[in-house]
Amino acid sequence: MYLQILKKDLKRKKTMNCILLLFVILSAMFAASSVNNIVAVSNGLDYYFEKAGMSDYFIIATEPDGEGTMAKTLDRADFVTDYKRENAVICTADNFTKDGKRLADFANAAMAMPIGEAKLNYFDKDDNIIDSVASGEAYMSGSIVKKAGLEIGDTFEYKIGETEFTLTYAGPAKDAFMGSEMMGNPRILLNNGDFEKILADSSASAMIVGFYYINTSDLSALEAAVTEINGIMFDSSLSAVKMTYVMNMLVAGMLLVVSVCLIIVSFVVLRFTISFTVAEEFREIGVMKAVGIKNSSIRGLYLVKYFGIAIAGAVIGYIGSVPFGKMLLSSVSENMVLGNENSFIIGVLCCIAVVGIILLFCWLSTGKIKRLSPIDAVRSGQTGERFRKKSLLHLGKSRLGTTGFLSFNDVLSSSKQYGIVTAVFAICILLVTVLANVANTLNSESLLFLFGVTKSDVYYSTSSYIMEVVGGTKSLDEALSEIETTLSENGMPGKAHFEALYPIPVAYGDTKRTVSFQQCKDTKANDYTYTEGSAPQYENEIALTYPVAEKLGAGIGDTVTLNIDGEERDYIITALFQSFNSLGEAGRLHESVSIADTSMSGGLAIQIDFDDHPNDKEIDRRIEKLRDIFEADNIYNAREYSRRSTGAADIISGVKNLVLIISLIIIIMISVLMERSFITKEKSEIALMKAVGFKSRSVIAQHTARFAIISVISAVVAIALCAPLTKLIADPIFGMLGAVNGVGYEIRPFEIFAVYPLAVMAATVIGTFFAALYTRSIKASDTSDIE
């Protein structure tokens, strides 16, 4: 008998059961993939760094004669437990060509190194360790691959001095130390024999650098000792290197929020649906009680039904969770190794938990069965008693039309049911709008001040000119003058300036640190943004970022000692500011401070301001022309430069679009599910309406309008919470980057307040409308129909 009842129930309510099965599948899929992703992301960097064999501290030092001062200093230091060294040669975009043209124009110097001397583990696209490279092949990390459009098997030429040979692209490499978007230094992994060809050329000797991976028992002592060594291009602790992946973690954090919200939405809808479907089956329950079936047997019948649906949904959901989870993490794991060695067990446990939660929902919802009696089947589940007002609206006082009044009255009368749906819709809108706000902010000019640059017409990110200056081939003034001459010769006269970076030892009391200071001799210190204090007005004044000031233990008004070109000078701190540069640890010198060009470790983009102040359209036209003139792609306007500097705008936008699609699908499914449930529950009311003269189109309009009202309310709630929720989620992440006081978010009114809410409303109305068409099958004679 049980099997017959279950068989008939599944056949009679195919639509409801199929929709319920879909939500079980979604719940299992979201739960399994999201929990696995949470584990992978939460342990992501630690797992990646452990697999790569990272150390406590990292130094890149120029060493034209091989191991020298750095190795001797580390050997003598009792606080250095051990260290490893990799040999590399600095490369610029000019070293790589393809079909006679520059392979790609990358802003920061690249590093070529032999795989046989690797002291870290480097990974291929499948997360396998690269332990060998064939002769004539090369793996590449960083953005150079995307910019060059390289496919595995493509060939390109490498040239240094008089040495030139052809290399075949073997695939992308994941580099834990320099592989993040913020580091921006591509690494080229070569065969040992090919690397020896490079070293054999006399031009390579001046470009040799040593990578030192150091383990220490006293990090502060090591940082102080490093300040005494010349030739250091970069030094940083492990915790600071982790911070270079903050944009990846920003994306990962957003994915976690999305995943958690999707799980909540799925379980809320499941809870409501199970409770609703059990409650509206008063007739079946009443008849079963009338023929003598006990409460426990009836509850067991429902448990068996939902257990079967839950098992089927959980199995399908787990299968779907594997590719779905990989798809969500693909944008994060592009330059990281994210691992979860217990993914199968976690996925299975999550699916079992989904089954258990569904059965719990079912058990709780069937508790009402004890209160039902056979007479409820006759009374359509109603006692006829009500001790409170059903709605705030009164038909006699309403100025709404019939459809409008009935729609609003239904929403207000069943506020709990419609309130749950409103909350779900609002969460879906908020997910999309928060992601959009973050993506738009990363894709705007509003973050330029955090890179320590002024607003300019054009930004030219290039390593070629800068490495010539650092190498002493030409002065910074000569390099900028050369660019200005090129501009003038091509009918675009303008001025060029450059934000140089200088690693300078700073001492305050017993604390010593090497800080990356910015300086531009063609701008004024007060052209930049400061959070506290005032811009440096004189040569002996500087500004520091909050992390540097905190680590030195100094503040505004304190005097620190800087070692510039071997000479110690005292400087007063006059201001504190926020910066994304140098992992948030930076300073600014007054423009009049004299410092050798060869002391430069690098810099930001070369900025160009045209003499005739062209409009945005003309600037974009000139940018295209400049790309041809300089044979470079890294030439941008202000917005594009800011977007490229963070490297996360496109990824966040992609996640936003994915979440929008998922949200719209969920909203349509919820609309269809809820509408079919309401139609089943209100069958006799609909029949009565038709009996008194209502047309089918009026009933359809009423049912569609109810969900349209819900979508409007949810949109209003989401819009009200959009800005504060964006700050709540994103401020801590931007603070980790160096923006300790937060940033101003780019909220585009039309997109946030119109496009996404309207998309949700449209999905709601479409889903409800097609589900409401089923009311046409209900006839006036169904008022007395008891199945």
Side-chain angles (χ1 to χ4, degrees):
M1 183 179 71
Y2 271 17
L3 290 176
Q4 287 289 356
I5 293 173
L6 283 171
K7 186 177 178 181
K8 287 187 176 181
D9 182 83
L10 291 172
K11 281 185 176 180
R12 184 170 57 88
K13 296 186 175 181
K14 287 184 290 187
T15 303
M16 290 293 294
N17 290 327
C18 285
I19 294 174
L20 186 58
L21 176 63
L22 285 174
F23 269 100
V24 175
I25 292 172
L26 286 177
S27 298
M29 187 171 74
F30 289 152
S33 62
S34 298
V35 172
N36 268 316
N37 288 356
I38 288 169
V39 173
V41 170
S42 299
N43 301 320
L45 282 177
D46 291 332
Y47 178 87
Y48 182 26
F49 283 13
E50 182 180 349
K51 294 276 285 186
M54 297 282 273
S55 300
D56 298 331
Y57 204 78
F58 307 86
I59 294 175
I60 303 176
T62 55
E63 296 182 330
D65 300 319
E67 294 185 47
T69 306
M70 179 61 66
K72 293 177 181 177
T73 301
L74 297 177
D75 287 333
R76 290 196 304 265
D78 56 2
F79 47 78
V80 173
T81 55
D82 66 84
Y83 71 90
K84 298 170 287 188
R85 180 184 181 277
E86 289 177 343
N87 205 23
V89 170
I90 298 174
C91 305
T92 69
D94 291 332
N95 294 122
F96 302 93
T97 57
K98 181 177 172 59
D99 301 327
K101 297 181 179 180
R102 188 181 291 170
L103 178 66
D105 192 31
F106 41 92
N108 297 330
M111 305 290 177
M113 62 164 284
I115 191 63
E117 296 182 15
K119 297 302 186 291
L120 297 182
N121 291 325
Y122 304 97
F123 304 88
D124 62 18
K125 61 183 178 64
D126 298 318
D127 295 342
N128 299 312
I129 295 175
I130 302 171
D131 51 18
S132 65
V133 180
S135 178
E137 293 189 353
Y139 284 89
M140 289 186 171
S141 70
S143 58
I144 184 174
V145 177
K146 290 182 181 178
K147 292 175 180 176
L150 285 174
E151 298 289 340
I152 294 177
D154 288 351
T155 60
F156 58 94
E157 289 70 44
Y158 175 82
K159 181 178 181 181
I160 183 168
E162 300 300 321
T163 303
E164 182 175 4
F165 52 94
T166 300
L167 292 169
T168 301
Y169 176 57
K174 297 181 180 182
D175 175 6
F177 176 35
M178 296 199 306
S180 67
E181 290 284 351
M182 290 190 69
M183 290 291 278
N185 294 95
R187 188 167 333 225
I188 297 92
L189 302 179
L190 300 171
N191 175 270
N192 282 35
D194 293 332
F195 188 73
E196 290 299 325
K197 294 179 186 177
I198 296 174
L199 291 182
D201 195 287
S202 58
S203 301
S205 60
M207 310 301 286
I208 296 174
V209 295
F211 282 72
Y212 288 87
Y213 309 113
I214 308 163
N215 288 314
T216 179
S217 57
D218 190 340
L219 185 60
S220 298
L222 177 59
E223 290 175 335
V226 166
T227 62
E228 306 296 332
I229 304 173
N230 295 324
I232 292 179
M233 297 177 62
F234 176 87
D235 68 292
S236 180
S237 64
L238 178 65
S239 60
V241 173
K242 283 185 178 182
M243 294 307 302
T244 67
Y245 287 88
V246 73
M247 284 301 174
N248 299 80
M249 301 314 293
L250 170 65
V251 177
M254 292 295 178
L255 286 176
L256 295 187
V257 172
V258 168
S259 298
V260 170
C261 288
L262 291 178
I263 292 173
I264 292 172
V265 166
S266 296
F267 281 149
V268 167
V269 173
L270 272 177
R271 168 71 175 86
F272 182 76
T273 303
I274 293 172
S275 177
F276 188 83
T277 52
V278 170
E280 61 96 16
E281 290 182 352
F282 53 86
R283 291 173 179 169
E284 291 85 345
I285 295 170
V287 170
M288 284 190 285
K289 284 199 170 187
V291 297
I293 300 177
K294 296 181 179 179
N295 290 329
S296 58
S297 298
I298 298 173
R299 296 181 81 176
L301 182 66
Y302 280 103
L303 284 174
V304 170
K305 170 187 172 181
Y306 287 112
F307 179 72
I309 292 174
I311 288 292
V315 170
I316 299 171
Y318 174 76
I319 295 172
S321 72
V322 177
F324 181 72
K326 288 182 179 179
M327 180 180 67
L328 284 179
L329 278 183
S330 60
S331 58
V332 183
S333 61
E334 187 174 330
N335 58 355
M336 295 174 63
V337 177
L338 291 178
N340 179 8
E341 297 174 352
N342 301 310
S343 59
F344 174 76
I345 296 174
I346 291 175
V348 171
L349 289 176
C350 288
C351 290
I352 292 173
V354 169
V355 173
I357 291 170
I358 290 170
L359 293 180
L360 177 62
F361 288 165
C362 181
W363 181 257
L364 295 174
S365 299
T366 54
K368 299 177 182 177
I369 288 175
K370 293 183 290 185
R371 299 196 297 270
L372 294 176
S373 64
I375 199 64
D376 287 309
V378 180
R379 291 176 173 173
S380 298
Q382 302 292 329
T383 62
E385 298 176 335
R386 188 174 75 237
F387 300 100
R388 60 179 177 81
K389 290 183 179 180
K390 190 175 181 182
S391 172
L392 298 175
L393 298 180
H394 299 277
L395 181 59
K397 299 178 181 179
S398 175
R399 295 184 180 180
L400 300 171
T402 304
T403 300
F405 175 82
L406 291 174
S407 302
F408 274 102
N409 190 63
D410 287 346
V411 172
L412 293 175
S413 299
S414 304
S415 55
K416 183 178 179 180
Q417 291 179 358
Y418 290 105
I420 293 173
V421 181
T422 302
V424 170
F425 287 4
I427 290 173
C428 290
I429 297 174
L430 278 169
L431 280 177
V432 179
T433 53
V434 168
L435 287 169
N437 288 338
V438 175
N440 292 338
T441 301
L442 294 171
N443 200 24
S444 70
E445 300 175 16
S446 60
L447 299 184
L448 275 178
F449 77 97
L450 290 169
F451 298 104
V453 296
T454 53
K455 175 74 184 316
S456 291
D457 295 331
V458 174
Y459 298 80
Y460 178 17
S461 297
T462 178
S463 57
S464 301
Y465 283 99
I466 308 310
M467 293 314 299
E468 287 180 330
V469 173
V470 174
T473 306
K474 62 179 65 170
S475 68
L476 180 57
D477 289 338
E478 288 172 343
L480 296 177
S481 178
E482 187 177 318
I483 291 175
E484 291 174 356
T485 300
T486 303
L487 292 173
S488 182
E489 289 174 350
N490 287 275
M492 299 177 287
K495 298 296 182 183
H497 63 274
F498 175 71
E499 290 287 342
L501 299 177
Y502 301 94
I504 299 174
V506 181
Y508 180 71
D510 296 330
T511 306
K512 293 182 179 180
R513 294 191 63 82
T514 299
V515 178
S516 181
F517 277 86
Q518 287 183 234
Q519 186 196 51
C520 179
K521 297 185 184 298
D522 299 305
T523 59
K524 303 294 183 184
N526 56 14
D527 292 337
Y528 302 86
T529 302
Y530 303 92
T531 308
E532 292 183 41
S534 58
Q537 301 291 322
Y538 304 100
E539 184 179 347
N540 67 334
E541 295 180 347
I542 61 169
L544 298 176
T545 59
Y546 287 91
V548 173
E550 182 179 348
K551 290 179 179 181
L552 288 173
I556 294 174
D558 290 333
T559 299
V560 296
T561 302
L562 274 61
N563 188 323
I564 299 178
D565 295 337
E567 181 183 348
E568 291 189 347
R569 313 175 198 171
D570 289 338
Y571 290 82
I572 301 171
I573 302 172
T574 64
L576 298 176
F577 65 100
Q578 304 178 105
S579 176
F580 281 173
N581 295 329
S582 304
L583 315 181
E585 298 187 15
R588 176 163 292 282
L589 297 171
H590 190 266
E591 61 272 11
S592 62
V593 174
S594 177
I595 185 169
D597 289 342
T598 51
S599 298
M600 191 189 307
S601 62
L604 307 180
I606 294 173
Q607 297 175 234
I608 298 172
D609 293 293
F610 297 114
D611 293 344
D612 57 348
H613 309 294
N615 57 30
D616 291 344
K617 186 176 181 180
E618 176 61 19
I619 288 173
D620 290 340
R621 190 191 69 80
R622 292 184 184 182
I623 286 174
E624 292 301 320
K625 189 175 178 180
L626 289 172
R627 286 174 178 170
D628 292 333
I629 294 169
F630 290 109
E631 296 182 1
D633 295 324
N634 291 354
I635 303 178
Y636 312 114
N637 58 27
R639 184 190 64 80
E640 187 69 8
Y641 175 72
S642 179
R643 184 174 75 86
R644 297 274 181 171
S645 297
T646 59
D650 291 341
I651 299 175
I652 296 288
S653 294
V655 173
K656 175 201 68 179
N657 294 333
L658 174 64
V659 171
L660 177 60
I661 293 170
I662 293 173
S663 296
L664 293 178
I665 292 172
I666 289 175
I667 286 168
I668 290 174
M669 289 178 61
I670 291 174
S671 300
V672 172
L673 172 68
M674 301 305 293
E675 176 57 19
R676 285 303 304 267
S677 300
F678 289 148
I679 290 173
T680 303
K681 180 182 178 182
E682 299 168 6
K683 184 176 180 180
S684 58
E685 287 91 334
I686 295 170
L688 180 61
M689 290 176 67
K690 290 192 173 183
V692 298
F694 281 86
K695 303 291 185 182
S696 291
R697 62 176 177 269
S698 298
V699 177
I700 293 171
Q702 176 204 346
H703 282 237
T704 304
R706 294 190 299 196
F707 281 85
I709 293 167
I710 292 172
S711 65
V712 171
I713 296 172
S714 62
V716 172
V717 172
I719 289 170
L721 295 176
C722 177
L725 198 62
T726 300
K727 286 187 67 66
L728 182 66
I729 293 172
D731 268 5
I733 300 174
F734 281 113
M736 291 166 60
L737 272 168
V740 294
N741 291 335
V743 301
Y745 293 96
E746 177 96 354
I747 298 178
R748 299 177 183 175
F750 179 73
E751 180 183 0
I752 302 302
F753 304 146
V755 174
Y756 299 128
L758 287 175
V760 169
M761 291 178 197
T764 304
V765 169
I766 290 170
T768 308
F769 174 78
F770 283 104
L773 293 176
Y774 181 75
T775 58
R776 293 186 299 186
S777 64
I778 300 175
K779 304 180 294 293
S781 58
D782 290 330
T783 51
S784 58
D785 180 26
I786 301 178
E787 299 171 352

